[in-house]
């Protein structure tokens, strides 16, 4: 765990120990929240796990939902979120909408039984290229390449990195350095560099997608399950803000059309890949609004307030982060206090 993660962990604990998750909740919680998850699966106990933040255990998911129910949250589908945000009456019970990005098979195997026990509806945002086996889980390709290599070396123009990768600590440092160097640059270079490393390490990117992601038959079957909503998550999972408007619009609108045809249902909700300000901003919010989506969700952290009723295609989410799977973290996240502090009291972050 890096320094930033350690600070966040201590912050969660401090919120719990001081009782701030109780006495500040009325101001911080807002109307409710949209939870964001990716993988739900048992802990594999890996030493080198740079993407561990994207996975929680079924047990932790159950603990969060049990706690939310005890705190008076109502579990609602995304379809209800606009109406609840538009309701001006104070004092309504807080709500939670649960969302899962990318379309992973473990959502069905491990998350669905937990969700059904709690009567919680949920939305799965599907990247069509993962279902087609044509898009790349590049962050997992990078992880697997670093796991297999004992030295990571990249020399691509102004990007030159050479890092030992023998121990778990060295591998984590190498991954961190390369990941953020690539994220700061053009996506084309990110994909090319990771493809080169994966080839050198013998990583089969397509096999990763086939192993982890639902195919179209599984997605169509899931769409027929009561309480499940299928949303769109682009064609190829790009960081949309790094591309021109035509590419962004195609990724957004075509993915919706393909999913609607495959599952036989309209697609009303969208999730921006990566979803931070460098990946989705006002241009993308406008495109999804013009395309007619009822909601579109980011990865910007925050609770939902009545003010979000005017920004339904720029909604924040609360990430269930695999690095903080404790009761103290769950209580803090549901209270909204970390985001009140993170956003310095601002309710909206849509710039």
């Amino acid at each position: 765990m890096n320094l930033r993660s350690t600070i966040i962990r201590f912050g969660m604990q401090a919120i719990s120990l001081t009782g701030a998750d109780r006495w500040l909740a009325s101001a911080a919680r807002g109307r409710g929240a949209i939870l964001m998850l990716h993988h739900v699966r048992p802990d594999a106990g890996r030493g080198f796990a740079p993407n561990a933040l994207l996975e929680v255990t079924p047990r932790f998911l159950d603990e969060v939902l049990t706690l939310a129910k005890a705190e008076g949250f109502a579990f609602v589908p995304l379809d209800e979120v606009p109406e609840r945000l538009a309701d001006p009456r104070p004092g309504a019970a807080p709500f939670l909408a649960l969302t899962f990005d990318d379309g992973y098979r473990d959502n069905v195997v491990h998350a669905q039984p937990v969700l059904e026990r709690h009567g919680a509806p949920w939305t799965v945002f599907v990247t069509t290229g993962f279902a087609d086996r044509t898009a790349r889980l590049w962050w997992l390709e990078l992880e697997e390449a670093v796991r297999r290599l004992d030295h990571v070396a990249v020399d691509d123009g102004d990007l030159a990195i050479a890092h030992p990768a023998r121990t778990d600590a060295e591998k984590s440092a190498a991954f961190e350095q390369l990941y953020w160097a690539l994220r700061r640059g053009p996506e084309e270079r990110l994909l090319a560099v990771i493809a080169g490393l994966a080839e050198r390490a013998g990583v089969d990117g397509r096999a990763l997608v086939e192993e982890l992601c639902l195919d179209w038959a599984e997605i169509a079957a899931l769409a027929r399950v009561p309480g499940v909503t299928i949303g769109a998550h682009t064609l190829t999972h790009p960081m949309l803000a790094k591309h021109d408007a035509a590419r962004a619009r195609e990724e957004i609108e075509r993915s919706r059309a393909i999913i609607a045809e495959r599952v036989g249902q309209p697609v009303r909700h969208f999730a921006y890949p990566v979803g931070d300000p460098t990946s989705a901003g006002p241009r993308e919010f406008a495109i999804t609004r013009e395309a007619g989506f009822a909601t579109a969700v980011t990865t910007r952290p925050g609770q939902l307030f009545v003010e979000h009723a005017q920004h339904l295609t720029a909604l924040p989410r609360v990430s269930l982060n695999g690095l903080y799977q404790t009761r103290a973290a769950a209580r803090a996240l549901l209270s909204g206090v970390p985001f009140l502090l993170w956003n310095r009291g601002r309710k909206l972050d849509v710039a």
Side-chain angles (χ1 to χ4, degrees):
M1 186 176 295
N2 60 29
L3 178 60
R4 180 175 181 273
S5 299
T6 301
I7 292 171
I8 292 173
R9 177 185 288 274
F10 280 123
M12 298 283 195
Q13 293 173 345
I15 288 170
S16 178
L17 290 171
T18 61
D21 55 349
R22 293 184 294 277
W23 52 268
L24 280 177
S26 60
R29 183 174 283 165
R31 289 302 177 95
I34 301 171
L35 293 188
M36 175 178 65
L37 300 98
H38 291 79
H39 293 284
V40 178
R41 56 194 180 191
D43 184 4
R46 302 184 303 274
F48 169 62
N51 289 300
L53 75 166
L54 299 177
E55 57 184 82
V56 301
T57 66
R59 180 177 179 177
F60 183 63
L61 176 59
D62 181 72
E63 184 174 13
V64 170
L65 297 184
T66 299
L67 179 60
K69 194 175 295 183
E71 293 285 331
F73 282 87
F75 302 139
V76 305
L78 272 183
D79 280 332
E80 286 190 21
V81 169
E83 180 181 353
R84 285 177 175 263
L85 290 177
D87 186 350
R89 295 174 298 174
F95 65 84
L96 280 184
L98 286 95
T99 63
F100 296 75
D101 288 9
D102 301 338
Y104 295 113
R105 190 170 288 113
D106 57 50
N107 296 172
V108 174
V109 175
H110 296 295
Q112 186 175 346
V114 177
L115 297 164
E116 290 181 347
R117 284 200 304 273
H118 287 275
W122 49 301
T123 297
V124 179
F125 290 112
V126 170
T127 296
T128 63
F130 296 156
D132 289 336
R133 311 323 195 204
T134 56
R136 294 170 52 195
L137 296 163
W138 56 261
W139 55 99
L140 295 179
E141 289 181 19
L142 178 58
E143 176 179 343
E144 288 303 313
V146 174
R147 177 173 287 112
R148 299 183 189 191
L149 296 170
D150 60 12
H151 188 267
V152 175
V154 171
D155 188 359
D156 186 85
D158 62 341
L159 177 63
I161 292 175
H163 205 291
R166 294 179 297 274
T167 66
D168 286 345
E170 288 178 344
K171 290 180 184 298
S172 296
F175 180 96
E176 189 84 359
Q177 182 182 12
L178 185 53
Y179 176 89
W180 288 111
L182 291 171
R183 277 284 306 273
R184 286 190 290 269
E187 194 164 37
E188 292 80 4
R189 179 165 72 177
L190 176 150
L191 294 172
V193 167
I194 294 176
L197 284 172
E199 182 178 8
R200 192 183 318 160
V203 176
D204 185 339
R206 182 185 175 97
L208 276 176
V209 176
E210 289 177 342
E211 175 190 356
L212 296 174
C213 296
L214 297 165
D215 62 26
W216 283 117
E218 292 169 309
I219 292 167
L222 184 60
R224 296 191 291 270
V225 174
V228 175
T229 299
I230 304 298
H233 199 39
T234 72
L235 303 169
T236 63
H237 203 277
M239 290 172 271
L240 292 168
K242 290 179 177 285
H243 300 277
D244 63 33
R247 167 76 184 278
R249 190 176 299 277
E250 179 187 33
E251 289 275 351
I252 291 167
E253 295 183 349
R254 279 195 58 210
S255 63
R256 177 173 65 175
I258 290 170
I259 294 167
E261 181 179 3
R262 288 283 193 164
V263 304
Q265 298 175 5
V267 176
R268 293 168 40 80
H269 307 283
F270 183 84
Y272 304 101
V274 183
D276 67 347
T278 71
S279 306
R283 186 192 69 177
E284 289 69 41
F285 304 158
I287 291 173
T288 51
R289 183 174 61 250
E290 293 161 5
F293 283 96
T295 72
V297 297
T298 70
T299 63
R300 301 183 189 210
Q303 307 289 112
L304 297 176
F305 297 87
V306 292
E307 289 83 355
H308 284 105
Q310 305 303 315
H311 301 276
L312 291 173
T313 59
L315 297 178
R317 288 189 285 178
V318 172
S319 172
L320 288 194
N321 189 308
L323 300 181
Y324 317 113
Q325 297 186 70
T326 66
R327 184 172 180 82
R331 290 187 63 89
L333 292 173
L334 291 173
S335 75
V337 173
F339 313 114
L340 182 71
L341 302 174
W342 180 269
N343 293 319
R344 288 173 287 183
R346 292 178 303 159
K347 295 179 179 178
L348 294 175
D349 177 15
V350 297

